[in-house]
Amino acid sequence: MRSSVLSLPSARDEYSATPPLDRAVASALPTRLRPADLLRLTDEGAEDVLSGRYDHLLPADGIWPADERWATRLSHDDEVDVWLISWTPGKFTDLHDHAGSLGALTVLSGALSEYRWNGTELRRRTLAAGDQASFPIGWVHDVVRAPVAAESVGPLEPTLSVHAYSPPLSAMSYYEVTGHGTLRRTKTVLTDQPEGDL
């Protein structure tokens, strides 16, 4: 006759620093990169742009577009996309998220205003040259060239920022604030372009 005694783990087994795993543990994020990694990549990208490493990707005539945002991809692989974006006055991105991608940015010149949904309202912050920000999954925001930057930055000094997304962008969802003070998704689009349609 078999005994039906259960074998319980000993206290030593239960509190072991490295408990045995009988299966692989998957990351909760869609990428191995963390926000700090993306901030480092945007900072390095900004330094490279300022040092002239990417001059071959900039507008050939040296004149930045004045009517529409402009962007160029600085680097890309299966894990991360890095972009340089030029911002023009009054051109909002519309409230959006980056679907399943984490994001980060570094402002190179000028300033950006970010309007972020905090769960109950839009909160504004201004990011000036040298400032950085990261965006976890689910971060809903709208970005525009800051009005102060539009007054103080001339055509020879555009508002520029470097952005990184991991995994590379594949979709973005757009939102509107309802009359009840909530967010409603209006559409989701497949895209590999940064910060909305350019």
Side-chain angles (χ1 to χ4, degrees):
M1 198 173 185
R2 288 178 65 170
S3 170
S4 60
V5 175
L6 294 175
S7 174
L8 298 174
S10 70
R12 191 181 83 233
D13 292 338
E14 186 175 342
Y15 298 109
S16 169
T18 55
L21 296 176
D22 59 352
R23 63 182 172 80
V25 176
S27 169
L29 295 176
T31 175
R32 72 176 182 84
L33 298 179
R34 299 165 310 178
D37 298 319
L38 298 181
L39 289 168
R40 180 185 49 78
L41 288 171
T42 62
D43 190 48
E44 290 171 358
E47 287 181 23
D48 289 344
V49 168
L50 293 173
S51 73
R53 178 176 178 206
Y54 292 112
D55 282 356
H56 64 285
L57 297 175
L58 304 182
D61 55 9
I63 300 173
W64 295 89
D67 297 329
E68 297 295 328
R69 277 181 294 123
W70 173 91
T72 187
R73 185 180 273 136
L74 300 177
S75 63
H76 169 78
D77 60 30
D78 290 342
E79 195 165 53
V80 66
D81 252 346
V82 181
W83 291 84
L84 172 66
I85 302 176
S86 171
W87 299 84
T88 55
K91 300 292 182 180
F92 289 82
T93 60
D94 295 327
L95 276 176
H96 67 279
D97 66 21
H98 302 111
S101 298
L102 301 173
L105 70 82
T106 296
V107 180
L108 273 74
S109 60
L112 298 174
S113 289
E114 179 195 34
Y115 298 87
R116 177 182 60 89
W117 181 254
N118 71 359
T120 58
E121 64 182 354
L122 290 173
R123 299 289 307 259
R124 179 178 175 250
R125 68 174 167 172
T126 299
L127 301 167
D131 288 346
Q132 294 187 294
S134 64
F135 316 116
I137 292 175
W139 188 274
V140 176
H141 68 167
D142 191 356
V143 182
V144 64
R145 181 175 168 167
V148 172
E151 296 167 5
S152 64
V153 177
L156 298 177
E157 294 184 56
T159 295
L160 298 173
S161 57
V162 173
H163 297 241
Y165 305 96
S166 184
L169 285 176
S170 59
M172 292 174 63
S173 293
Y174 291 86
Y175 299 85
E176 67 182 10
V177 179
T178 70
H180 302 291
T182 61
L183 271 189
R184 180 174 64 211
R185 186 173 49 208
T186 58
K187 65 181 176 179
T188 298
V189 296
L190 298 178
T191 185
D192 66 352
Q193 297 295 305
E195 295 308 311
D197 295 331
L198 295 170

